[in-house]
Amino acid sequence: MREALRGAAVAVSLWGPSAILALGGAAATLALSVPALAQQETVKIAFIDPLSGGGAPTGEAGLRHFQYMAEVLNARQKQFRFEVLAYDNKVNPQETLIAAQKGIDAGARVLVQGNGSSAAAALTDFVAKHNERNPNRQVIYINYSAVDPSLTNEKCNYWHFRFDANSDIKMEALTNFMKARPEIRRVYLINQDYSFGQSVRSQARAMLKAKRPDIEIVGDEVTPLQKVNDFAPYVAKIKASGADSVITGNWAQDFNLLLKAAAEAGLQASFYTYYAGGTGGPTVVRQTGLAHRVFQVTQGAANVGDAASQDFETAFRARTGIGSTYPRAFNAMNALLTAMQEAGSSEARKVAPKLEQARLKPYSGGEGYMRPDDHQYFQTMFVSSFGPMEPGMRFDEEGTGWGWKMAGRVETKDTLVPTTCRMDRPS
């Protein structure tokens, strides 16, 4: 095991210590520069996501990312020792709050959550109130995948830091890619019936209308979150509509079952997605036979990025048995460590001012930084398509013989969106 960790640590150093992170003008302060006599401090991280039910594969994948990064960072330096505690929230807001309190009671001073914006909305409110009432037990909330724009707008919170692009940013990038594809004429929207899914459908309509007014929206519906077991009736509607393209923000079971039904029905439409690369997604996409007709917008993919990030991907797969679906988890953990080193502490009140100034080279390349105004992280975005392996592609997914290939790239400066956040900063 130590040999595996040693190899992983080398991979990270290739990706990052020369350029991973610069905080507040201290670019030379790197993860390897640890005071020789510093006493190691244990930092407990409460990972709160679905670990049962339809969202379990997605939550389990996220957990592996954070556990792996804890191992890597622990092997790299001796100032802070990261320990990840796992809690199942069942994608339920109330269960999320129970899990958060359990984590805090167990000593966690960092909360990590991503899947489910309704859970994220409850958690960010909880953290704000907890920190106000408990100044000696304040926590940082790292959001790695909940993308409802409200979380960094009207619901923005000083203690909340989002390392994923919000759904408006992703739709901006996706529709910029789609507007240049003249074969797209008739689009069907199908999304989950909660805040994130509603945001995807509304922004898809608005942005397509502005960029390609000739495109016809031939269907627009929502489905209960992680509760539909058979998407065949929905796919029948899509076929009947004559849609040539589908836009969906569905994730986990809701994406996999949608594509499974599409494969069984022989639906010949292109899919423009947020989460086709999630656990199980590549397998069902392969079953459709739609080579390079299923697209996803992400912060990167296994075959995107420089040699150092691909070496890191190799080490990650060898250690965890899965491909990286959350490169933002790598970015978040590197940012968190360096913020703590800059602060010389894991105390939330000392770490937050450093974290909101984070500037780092993202895992997949390009430019990345945290905007202090709303704690939204901005980064280069990529659109990838899934199809048979080609020369130069190092990684397939889930043993399918197919892999992700970059189809489009949006630079960080072109992902910027305004914010209505009025940050309530602690005195």
Side-chain angles (χ1 to χ4, degrees):
M1 178 175 176
R2 285 196 172 275
E3 289 301 318
L5 290 182
R6 192 173 297 121
V10 170
V12 167
S13 69
L14 287 171
W15 160 38
S18 63
I20 278 182
L21 198 54
L23 291 169
T29 304
L30 300 170
L32 293 173
S33 58
V34 179
L37 300 178
Q39 183 177 357
Q40 187 178 44
E41 179 181 352
T42 296
V43 178
K44 293 184 178 181
I45 298 174
F47 178 90
I48 304 168
D49 247 359
L51 300 175
S52 63
T58 299
E60 288 284 358
L63 177 60
R64 291 192 197 184
H65 283 66
F66 281 95
Q67 288 174 328
Y68 179 76
M69 281 303 293
E71 292 180 354
V72 168
L73 298 184
N74 291 345
R76 188 201 299 177
Q77 51 80 50
K78 299 301 179 185
Q79 187 175 3
F80 298 97
R81 180 184 178 277
F82 293 97
E83 179 183 343
V84 180
L85 313 176
Y87 297 92
D88 180 11
N89 71 351
K90 305 177 180 65
V91 205
N92 179 282
Q94 187 58 41
E95 291 282 352
T96 298
L97 304 189
I98 293 171
Q101 190 61 60
K102 287 181 178 178
I104 292 171
D105 291 344
R109 294 299 174 262
V110 179
L111 308 183
V112 168
Q113 182 271 340
N115 292 292
S117 288
S118 56
L123 185 57
T124 194
D125 287 343
F126 170 88
V127 167
K129 292 174 183 175
H130 169 86
N131 285 0
E132 183 178 358
R133 296 168 181 166
N134 301 275
N136 296 323
R137 291 202 304 159
Q138 293 174 328
V139 296
I140 294 287
Y141 169 22
I142 299 292
N143 172 0
Y144 76 100
S145 201
V147 296
D148 185 344
S150 70
L151 295 170
T152 45
N153 284 293
E154 63 268 24
K155 291 184 69 65
C156 69
N157 170 9
Y158 177 75
W159 306 103
H160 164 266
F161 297 85
R162 174 157 52 197
F163 281 85
D164 198 357
N166 73 34
S167 63
D168 288 357
I169 297 170
K170 291 184 177 184
M171 188 56 71
E172 187 75 49
L174 196 60
T175 52
N176 280 343
F177 175 75
M178 294 176 69
K179 72 179 182 182
R181 299 178 69 82
E183 69 273 18
I184 301 176
R185 308 294 298 180
R186 297 167 62 84
V187 171
Y188 201 102
L189 309 178
I190 180 166
N191 290 283
Q192 295 153 316
D193 192 10
Y194 74 116
S195 57
F196 161 63
Q198 295 289 353
S199 175
V200 172
R201 67 193 295 230
S202 64
Q203 289 302 312
R205 278 186 169 277
M207 293 183 188
L208 285 177
K209 182 177 180 180
K211 300 172 186 180
R212 280 286 305 277
D214 59 304
I215 290 178
E216 181 183 1
I217 305 297
V218 296
D220 181 1
E221 58 187 308
V222 292
T223 63
L225 177 63
Q226 307 297 343
K227 292 182 178 178
V228 177
N229 294 318
D230 182 7
F231 276 85
Y234 297 99
V235 169
K237 291 182 184 180
I238 297 172
K239 288 190 73 172
S241 74
D244 54 61
S245 302
V246 176
I247 294 178
T248 182
N250 284 18
W251 55 274
Q253 172 179 286
D254 288 346
F255 176 80
N256 295 347
L257 292 180
L258 173 64
L259 265 288
K260 182 176 182 290
E264 292 172 349
L267 176 61
Q268 294 297 303
S270 296
F271 285 78
Y272 296 87
T273 81
Y274 284 23
Y275 300 118
T279 303
T283 297
V284 295
V285 173
R286 175 66 180 87
Q287 292 169 355
T288 69
L290 298 174
H292 294 298
R293 291 184 63 186
V294 176
F295 302 85
Q296 67 169 348
V297 58
T298 63
Q299 298 80 35
N303 294 309
V304 174
D306 58 20
S309 67
Q310 294 199 1
D311 288 344
F312 183 87
E313 177 75 19
T314 298
F316 175 78
R317 290 180 179 225
R319 183 71 178 90
T320 66
I322 61 173
S324 66
T325 52
Y326 295 113
R328 49 200 179 267
F330 305 148
N331 296 335
M333 285 292 284
N334 274 302
L336 182 64
L337 169 62
T338 309
M340 288 181 176
Q341 290 185 320
E342 280 284 303
S345 171
S346 65
E347 292 182 42
R349 64 183 179 84
K350 296 179 180 179
V351 173
K354 303 297 183 181
L355 197 54
E356 72 172 5
Q357 298 292 334
R359 302 193 70 88
L360 63 152
K361 176 187 174 184
Y363 169 74
S364 296
E367 179 189 11
Y369 65 91
M370 184 68 68
R371 183 166 64 184
D373 294 351
D374 58 352
H375 293 181
Q376 171 65 57
Y377 180 66
F378 290 93
Q379 59 209 299
T380 305
M381 301 294 294
F382 302 89
V383 177
S384 304
S385 63
F386 196 62
M389 296 291 287
E390 299 176 8
M393 294 169 61
R394 289 175 58 178
F395 306 101
D396 81 334
E397 301 296 336
E398 300 180 349
T400 61
W402 283 22
W404 291 103
K405 176 182 177 181
M406 188 170 74
R409 173 177 172 139
V410 182
E411 299 302 331
T412 304
K413 63 182 178 62
D414 297 320
T415 70
L416 303 183
V417 295
T419 181
T420 59
C421 172
R422 293 175 178 263
M423 187 73 75
D424 184 12
R425 297 176 177 275
S427 56

